[in-house]
Amino acid sequence: AISDLRASLAANTANKIQKTESYLLLAELYYNQGNFVNSKSYYDSTLQVMATVDDRFLQTKRFSLNLTEIAKNQQVIFLQDSLIKIAGLSPDEQLAVAKTVKKQREEEAKRAAQKAATPQSKVDPNSVQSLADNRNSFRGVSVSGNSKSTFFAYDEKLVKKGQKEFQKLWGQRDLVDNWRRIKSSSATLPTTPDNAVASSEDEEKLLKEILADVPKSPQEIDKAENLIKAAMITLGRLYQDQLKDDDRSIAMLEDLLKRYPANQYELEAWYLLYLAYNNKGDMANVKTYYDKIVEKYPTTTYARVISDPKFLEESKAERNKLDRFYNETYSLFQATKYQEAQDNIKKAAKEFGADNKYKVKFALLNAMILGNLEGKTAYIGGLKEIIAKYPNTEEEKRAKEIIRLLGVESASPLGKDTLSNVQAYTYTPGDVHYVLVDVGNVIEKLNDMKNGFANFNKEFYSFDKLKVTNIFLDTETPLIVIRQFEKSEGAFKYVDNALKNLGGFYKDIKPEQLLVISKENYKALLLNKKMTDYKAYLEQNYRR
């Protein structure tokens, strides 16, 4: 069926209805096989040709979105497994295989050129999946999901062919350093011209090109294996959470534990297996993993969750207490009671532990307090400390944004009177504008909302290169930023279109959440940090 559908797509030049059905059926077939890399690809292709009024459009979009992370992690496993396999070959065996791969590439390129040169062969580039699979095979991407990858290292015939080419040229050689210099009766070398020896510059370039990512040391192999472990535990979790497929989750997690016993994800894998078997009603295995967790990790959160029904309730009460303490501290800051707020921050680590969930928020708040108490230099120092200590957090992004703006806004010295009172908003409708989305108190939906706008842009503004990012106006006020538009008119048109059509991608958007702002006013807002001030300014100056 897959072969016939691909042939159908290759022959199809203009029939979008037929393409839609072929792409969608291929996506479903690969999904059923567990090959989520190809399934994701065909769901994406379906969305390119399917009419938006088609009853299946939103469901297809949901499948595509759900498979994004799953396909990404499958690719990681396929690639790293393949690279590790290649690393196990001798250098000259690697070279022999690489020569075979180069020959295949050249043959594929020749066939593609011939097809392109044939007038009657107008092939849809999106439909030539065999070529895509061939390209992907050099990156380690499987074409059969949980089955064997088609990356050349997984093809035993190819590997053996490369080894035979090597042995034909060099005989049976031991895997030792400087093997060419060893005289051995067991090594029967054929009479071969010097230019046939596989050590030319071209062959060295070939190795670098095709085998560049092959691990070359135990440390690099460990790194590749760590990538595999992380991808496997992520897939085990995603299969449960997104696909509701406990069987597939169990298979992945048990494979992880079998391949890498006692790895760093062992506890989480056991807990996920406990949940999956519980969902299936397999109480024998539920008990097995319960015993493993409480015996080896008795003091962990996972052990307490499965052992004590009241633990989650007590944990929630503790989290609520921390929430209230943080809110009180932030209220002191807003009331300009900076010293009291700073004292609270020092208490937080003692009362709730140094690794409490708000520790980065407290750090950013402390930097803001330093700015008010000690001025710009202390503020920047506090922000740089956040960047150094807490990489890959929203607070780090916010700190970088503030530092960048401080360098631009040199006319706005920091201190008690300026940090929270910058209101230099100017009316410049002809300048570059952004659209802000006020997330409000639904921070837990931030990623869903952000993805909704990204997919809306892909559907309605695919040629406008709009960027969707999120920032925190202060430590707890998230915003989504959509940039950029040449003038305010374009931004307002975007808002109108979003209110009409965003519902297919994210439903819970209200008109008051969408704000238009110029680039310069955006900078001022980030310094002022008071959304209410800007909303008032917007209402007075941008009435339509």
Side-chain angles (χ1 to χ4, degrees):
I2 289 172
S3 177
D4 287 345
L5 286 165
R6 284 181 176 177
S8 166
L9 287 167
N12 187 351
T13 58
N15 190 331
K16 282 192 173 183
I17 295 176
Q18 181 186 329
K19 282 185 179 182
T20 296
E21 301 306 322
S22 297
Y23 280 140
L24 185 57
L25 184 52
L26 279 165
E28 292 168 349
L29 288 170
Y30 278 120
Y31 184 97
N32 292 336
Q33 286 186 353
N35 182 348
F36 300 120
V37 174
N38 277 358
S39 181
K40 159 71 175 169
S41 176
Y42 278 115
Y43 275 123
D44 289 344
S45 296
T46 304
L47 291 171
Q48 292 177 11
V49 295
M50 179 182 277
T52 55
V53 295
D54 192 307
D55 291 340
R56 301 165 296 178
F57 185 83
L58 291 180
Q59 183 181 13
T60 301
K61 184 173 286 292
R62 280 194 294 271
F63 270 101
S64 174
L65 291 174
N66 282 342
L67 292 179
T68 300
E69 286 300 310
I70 292 173
K72 176 182 174 183
N73 282 282
Q74 274 197 342
Q75 285 177 310
V76 169
I77 295 172
F78 298 148
L79 175 59
Q80 299 307 322
D81 269 342
S82 301
L83 293 176
I84 290 171
K85 183 177 179 67
I86 295 297
L89 301 175
S90 72
D92 291 278
E93 287 172 330
Q94 291 180 15
L95 181 60
V97 175
K99 288 175 68 176
T100 304
V101 172
K102 182 184 177 184
K103 184 177 180 181
Q104 288 181 332
R105 283 185 177 183
E106 291 170 347
E107 290 173 353
E108 285 290 351
K110 185 178 179 180
R111 284 196 292 269
Q114 289 173 343
K115 286 184 179 181
T118 305
Q120 66 270 23
S121 180
K122 296 179 181 179
V123 181
D124 179 0
N126 289 326
S127 70
V128 190
Q129 186 63 32
S130 60
L131 289 179
D133 288 342
N134 183 62
R135 288 192 298 270
N136 285 339
S137 71
F138 302 120
R139 303 186 184 101
V141 180
S142 169
V143 295
S144 59
N146 291 340
S147 61
K148 188 177 178 182
S149 172
T150 58
F151 186 42
F152 67 86
Y154 274 168
D155 190 330
E156 296 295 337
K157 290 182 180 179
L158 256 180
V159 173
K160 287 179 181 178
K161 182 179 179 182
Q163 290 171 331
K164 285 180 180 178
E165 287 184 12
F166 170 78
Q167 291 166 2
K168 182 179 179 181
L169 183 62
W170 295 104
Q172 198 73 31
R173 308 309 304 263
D174 293 330
L175 183 57
V176 293
D177 291 338
N178 301 316
W179 56 268
R180 289 188 182 88
R181 301 177 186 175
I182 296 175
K183 295 181 179 179
S184 171
S185 59
S186 63
T188 55
L189 297 178
T191 303
T192 308
D194 291 341
N195 60 9
V197 178
S199 60
S200 67
E201 292 182 4
D202 288 341
E203 289 167 341
E204 290 178 2
K205 289 180 181 178
L206 180 65
L207 261 178
K208 291 179 181 179
E209 175 195 353
I210 297 179
L211 307 172
D213 295 327
V214 173
K216 299 172 181 64
S217 68
Q219 292 78 15
E220 290 184 358
I221 290 176
D222 286 344
K223 184 178 179 181
E225 289 182 338
N226 283 332
L227 291 173
I228 293 171
K229 295 172 195 174
M232 292 181 82
I233 191 68
T234 301
L235 284 173
R237 191 185 316 114
L238 291 173
Y239 289 154
Q240 279 191 41
D241 294 344
Q242 293 190 11
L243 302 188
K244 310 301 179 187
D245 191 334
D246 292 315
D247 290 331
R248 200 177 297 279
S249 177
I250 290 168
M252 178 60 65
L253 295 168
E254 290 187 341
D255 188 27
L256 167 64
L257 296 170
K258 181 179 179 181
R259 289 180 63 177
Y260 305 104
N263 68 79
Q264 64 266 45
Y265 302 107
E266 180 181 69
L267 174 59
E268 185 179 359
W270 284 353
Y271 180 69
L272 290 171
L273 284 164
Y274 169 89
L275 295 177
Y277 279 119
N278 196 47
N279 290 339
K280 290 171 63 66
D282 185 343
M283 304 316 293
N285 275 309
V286 168
K287 186 178 186 308
T288 296
Y289 288 104
Y290 174 91
D291 292 342
K292 285 176 179 288
I293 293 169
V294 298
E295 181 179 339
K296 189 171 181 178
Y297 303 99
T299 61
T300 61
T301 300
Y302 289 126
R304 296 182 66 183
V305 165
I306 64 178
S307 302
D308 183 2
K310 295 182 179 179
F311 176 73
L312 287 178
E313 188 176 334
E314 292 170 356
S315 297
K316 184 177 180 181
E318 187 69 16
R319 288 195 300 271
N320 289 340
K321 184 179 178 182
L322 176 58
D323 292 343
R324 288 194 299 271
F325 186 85
Y326 175 78
N327 291 334
E328 289 169 6
T329 305
Y330 189 75
S331 295
L332 290 171
F333 169 77
Q334 287 183 312
T336 69
K337 296 179 181 180
Y338 302 123
Q339 193 59 58
E340 292 180 49
Q342 197 172 58
D343 292 341
N344 262 19
I345 292 173
K346 293 176 181 177
K347 292 177 186 176
K350 294 180 181 179
E351 189 168 344
F352 301 101
D355 292 323
N356 68 78
K357 70 172 183 175
Y358 280 144
K359 68 175 182 179
V360 189
K361 291 183 181 293
F362 277 124
L364 181 56
L365 185 56
N366 189 57
M368 296 163 69
I369 291 170
L370 287 174
N372 282 279
L373 291 176
E374 301 177 25
K376 182 176 181 178
T377 302
Y379 189 28
I380 292 176
L383 294 171
K384 287 183 176 179
E385 187 176 355
I386 291 168
I387 294 169
K389 283 187 175 181
Y390 308 110
N392 303 317
T393 63
E394 290 298 330
E395 288 75 17
E396 180 219 23
K397 294 177 185 177
R398 171 76 176 123
K400 286 181 177 178
E401 182 82 0
I402 294 172
I403 287 176
R404 185 181 67 80
L405 290 173
L406 290 176
V408 174
E409 300 291 339
S410 56
S412 301
L414 284 169
K416 283 186 180 180
D417 299 327
T418 61
L419 190 61
S420 58
N421 293 311
V422 177
Q423 297 184 24
Y425 298 131
T426 55
Y427 181 67
T428 53
D431 288 353
V432 169
H433 275 62
Y434 304 156
V435 170
L436 301 182
V437 184
D438 184 1
V439 177
N441 61 355
V442 290
I443 187 171
E444 69 278 2
K445 297 182 180 179
L446 175 61
N447 287 333
D448 289 341
M449 192 180 295
K450 183 179 174 182
N451 289 334
F453 276 96
N455 291 316
F456 168 76
N457 291 345
K458 184 178 179 181
E459 180 67 26
F460 291 94
Y461 296 89
S462 57
F463 298 105
D464 293 88
K465 298 181 179 179
L466 298 179
K467 294 183 178 179
V468 181
T469 57
N470 63 276
I471 65 164
F472 277 74
L473 187 59
D474 50 42
T475 55
E476 56 181 19
T477 306
L479 295 174
I480 293 173
V481 185
I482 301 158
R483 55 183 127 193
Q484 60 186 9
F485 304 88
E486 286 188 9
K487 301 178 181 179
S488 63
E489 181 181 0
F492 277 114
K493 286 182 178 179
Y494 178 90
V495 169
D496 291 341
N497 191 12
L499 292 175
K500 292 177 183 176
N501 297 299
L502 185 66
F505 307 91
Y506 185 84
K507 295 182 179 179
D508 301 325
I509 287 293
K510 300 175 182 177
E512 59 268 23
Q513 289 180 268
L514 298 176
L515 313 172
V516 170
I517 189 168
S518 70
K519 185 175 180 179
E520 292 305 313
N521 285 344
Y522 173 69
K523 294 177 182 178
L525 175 62
L526 291 180
L527 288 172
N528 181 20
K529 294 184 286 296
K530 290 187 177 180
M531 182 58 75
T532 52
D533 289 349
Y534 181 72
K535 285 183 177 179
Y537 168 83
L538 184 65
E539 180 67 23
Q540 293 171 7
N541 293 275
Y542 280 90
R543 293 179 180 175
R544 302 181 70 198

